[in-house]
Amino acid sequence: MQIKSFIYLKAICAIIIVLNACGMSIGITSGTHLFLPAIFMVLGYFFDTTYWTERHGYIYNKAKRIYLPFIVWASIFVVLHNIFALINFTSNGIYGWQETFQRLWNICLGMQGYDPVLNASFWILRAMFVGAIGFYAISYLFKKFLSNFTDTKIIECSILSIITLVIWMTLFDLNIPFLPYGGYTELTATMFFGLGCLYRQYESHLNQRKWIYALTTLVVIALAVLYPSSMFEKDFFAFLSLLFGGVSAFLTLHYLSDLITKYNNKATLVVNYVGERWLYIVAFFPLVFKIVGVFHILCSDLEWEMLALLPINSETFCTISIVYWIVGCICPILCIWGWNKADAKYNLTPKNCLLYTIEGIKILSKWIWKGICFIGITIWKSIKSFGSNILDIVKYLPVSFFYISSMIIGYKGLKYLELSISSPIQNCSGVITALLL
């Protein structure tokens, strides 16, 4: 039941993330940034202290589950960027060979350089990976040098050191050189990852004090309204708001998820399905927004160039924003559902996908060759027939000329002549044709 509650929590977080990006800047979304840290705390909750002795397996697992998908999908979007730019799905212009290769290089070595429009949410993947590896590295060092400490004390020391680094960064505007935007986002993600791990150590004590969840609900509401913050605001007071608001949001959502686990119906099954595939929603909803934007432009009679800017922030809770929100959550799930169905039927392993692709290319090439042959044979027969019938064309050309001319004269004459006069003129075409034949 505990694992299922966190699945529900991830589903709620994914829905909130899409709500935050669907184009509304009113109060309902101004504080949703405080719920983003809950994602990193969930990941930290499942951190096992046995990883300190199995570091190769831990790093390999994170690289396989986070880093590798990031590289693959970000590279695909960079390769297809010029196509998306031509149809105004992105506003970043056309990439040349040098810029394309440079972005691919940055994606592989720095987890940056991805499309800032269609991959706008990929920073979450980078923060997840850096946060997981960063907390592991810091806690491993404390474990190595403070071997007499308990696991809980080591986690606490690690979190305190990370919080100290974040405060130092905010007060003196420091930057981590090899991370984009100075690394503030990744460092706060590392902190929340550690807080999720610490929460696991004290969870049993918190569950005995239900009033704490009521208090955290009030805290997150107050901060969301009075002092909303995000993981991009490198300011000391914004950091304090993010720290207390993020932890409070996590505790509130966890309590809400525990309540949902008490029910077992179709709605909870849907939430469970969404929670197990939350990362697809977070990663691909910007692309879905562009597809919705096409219909938005057609229905609102907007300029096509506006597609690169959609969704546009609105000060009201408008209907089109609700459409962005709903479709942004549902469409990625439907695509994954369709893929899973096809996988169950055709066993879509990477090897089989490659074989199916090669076979499809063969079939397509075969039909294209047949089409080219058919067109070539048709043209050759037409040319051959035209050469054999050239004399017939010359023979009947005068007849056709007089017939067409008489009809033109007759129809033009209807504007000026009575029908009794123009009809004989038209009928003369038959006589002239008969005489010439």
Side-chain angles (χ1 to χ4, degrees):
M1 295 295 289
Q2 188 64 267
I3 295 177
K4 183 171 288 189
S5 69
F6 282 108
I7 292 175
Y8 294 159
L9 193 154
K10 289 189 286 187
I12 297 172
C13 286
I15 294 172
I16 291 175
I17 290 172
V18 179
L19 172 65
N20 179 65
C22 68
M24 294 177 288
S25 58
I26 56 175
I28 193 171
T29 61
S30 60
T32 53
H33 286 289
L34 294 176
F35 292 90
L36 285 174
I39 291 291
F40 304 102
M41 291 189 68
V42 171
L43 297 176
Y45 179 88
F46 292 99
F47 179 84
D48 195 336
T49 55
T50 59
Y51 293 142
W52 288 329
T53 57
E54 301 175 0
R55 56 184 181 276
H56 297 297
Y58 177 79
I59 296 174
Y60 173 79
N61 182 52
K62 294 303 177 184
K64 180 180 178 181
R65 296 174 64 89
I66 302 176
Y67 177 76
L68 186 59
F70 176 92
I71 298 300
V72 172
W73 285 108
S75 299
I76 289 174
F77 275 90
V78 167
V79 171
L80 299 178
H81 170 84
N82 289 347
I83 297 176
F84 289 128
L86 289 174
I87 59 177
N88 283 323
F89 268 37
T90 180
S91 58
N92 223 30
I94 301 296
Y95 293 165
W97 287 109
Q98 192 276 337
E99 185 171 4
T100 299
F101 291 137
Q102 183 62 57
R103 286 183 176 272
L104 292 174
W105 188 277
N106 293 341
I107 288 170
C108 295
L109 299 181
M111 296 187 76
Q112 53 186 311
Y114 49 82
D115 191 295
V117 177
L118 298 178
N119 301 141
S121 57
F122 272 39
W123 70 268
I124 297 178
L125 296 175
R126 182 181 63 236
M128 287 168 54
F129 182 72
V130 175
I133 301 299
F135 178 76
Y136 173 81
I138 294 173
S139 61
Y140 177 78
L141 290 176
F142 276 103
K143 177 66 175 178
K144 186 175 182 180
F145 292 103
L146 302 176
S147 57
N148 295 329
F149 280 31
T150 63
D151 291 345
T152 302
K153 292 296 183 182
I154 290 174
I155 294 172
E156 291 173 349
C157 291
S158 302
I159 294 173
L160 287 176
S161 65
I162 297 170
I163 292 176
T164 302
L165 291 176
V166 176
I167 294 175
W168 189 11
M169 173 181 283
T170 56
L171 291 178
F172 294 95
D173 193 25
L174 303 178
N175 295 314
I176 300 176
F178 54 86
L179 289 175
Y181 312 112
Y184 175 76
T185 302
E186 287 73 22
L187 193 58
T188 53
T190 306
M191 177 189 68
F192 284 114
F193 188 95
L195 289 171
C197 184
L198 184 64
Y199 171 76
R200 184 176 182 177
Q201 306 296 321
Y202 291 100
E203 182 180 14
S204 58
H205 301 284
L206 293 175
N207 288 337
Q208 297 174 1
R209 297 170 175 82
K210 299 297 183 183
W211 58 270
I212 294 178
Y213 296 104
L215 178 62
T216 56
T217 303
L218 294 177
V219 170
V220 71
I221 293 175
L223 290 176
V225 175
L226 300 177
Y227 203 99
S229 180
S230 73
M231 296 178 69
F232 295 97
E233 297 182 46
K234 193 168 66 173
D235 176 78
F236 177 72
F237 294 104
F239 165 70
L240 293 180
S241 173
L242 180 67
L243 175 60
F244 293 105
V247 174
S248 299
F250 169 78
L251 294 174
T252 301
L253 292 179
H254 188 206
Y255 181 71
L256 178 62
S257 301
D258 282 336
L259 294 179
I260 297 176
T261 57
K262 298 179 181 179
Y263 301 92
N264 187 16
N265 49 41
K266 292 183 178 180
T268 56
L269 290 177
V270 172
V271 176
N272 184 79
Y273 191 86
V274 172
E276 290 177 341
R277 296 155 182 84
W278 71 276
L279 196 55
Y280 295 102
I281 297 177
V282 173
F284 297 113
F285 77 83
L287 178 61
V288 176
F289 278 2
K290 297 305 176 182
I291 299 174
V292 179
V294 173
F295 295 96
H296 185 186
I297 287 176
L298 295 177
C299 296
S300 304
D301 197 24
L302 299 174
E303 294 292 335
W304 185 259
E305 288 74 15
M306 293 290 293
L307 180 60
L309 306 176
L310 294 177
I312 301 172
N313 286 335
S314 174
E315 297 297 330
T316 59
F317 195 85
C318 55
T319 304
I320 190 63
S321 296
I322 300 175
V323 174
Y324 276 109
W325 181 26
I326 295 175
V327 178
C329 292
I330 293 177
C331 193
I333 294 298
L334 291 178
C335 292
I336 295 303
W337 176 81
W339 174 267
N340 291 336
K341 287 290 185 180
D343 185 26
K345 186 175 181 180
Y346 300 106
N347 189 22
L348 299 178
T349 61
K351 179 180 178 181
N352 287 343
C353 288
L354 180 61
L355 293 176
Y356 293 148
T357 302
I358 294 174
E359 191 65 27
I361 292 174
K362 288 181 179 179
I363 295 174
L364 182 62
S365 302
K366 181 179 179 181
W367 283 104
I368 291 175
W369 174 251
K370 286 184 177 181
I372 293 174
C373 292
F374 175 78
I375 294 172
I377 293 172
T378 303
I379 294 174
W380 170 251
K381 289 181 177 180
S382 300
I383 294 174
K384 187 177 180 181
S385 176
F386 178 79
S388 63
N389 296 326
I390 190 67
L391 295 177
D392 293 337
I393 295 175
V394 175
K395 179 179 179 180
Y396 292 106
L397 185 61
V399 178
S400 301
F401 172 75
F402 281 108
Y403 181 79
I404 295 171
S405 300
S406 64
M407 293 299 292
I408 292 174
I409 294 171
Y411 283 118
K412 289 292 184 180
L414 287 174
K415 297 181 180 179
Y416 312 103
L417 302 175
E418 294 292 339
L419 183 61
S420 59
I421 300 174
S422 62
S423 294
I425 297 175
Q426 294 176 354
N427 294 332
C428 286
S429 62
V431 178
I432 296 173
T433 302
L435 291 175
L436 290 174
L437 289 173

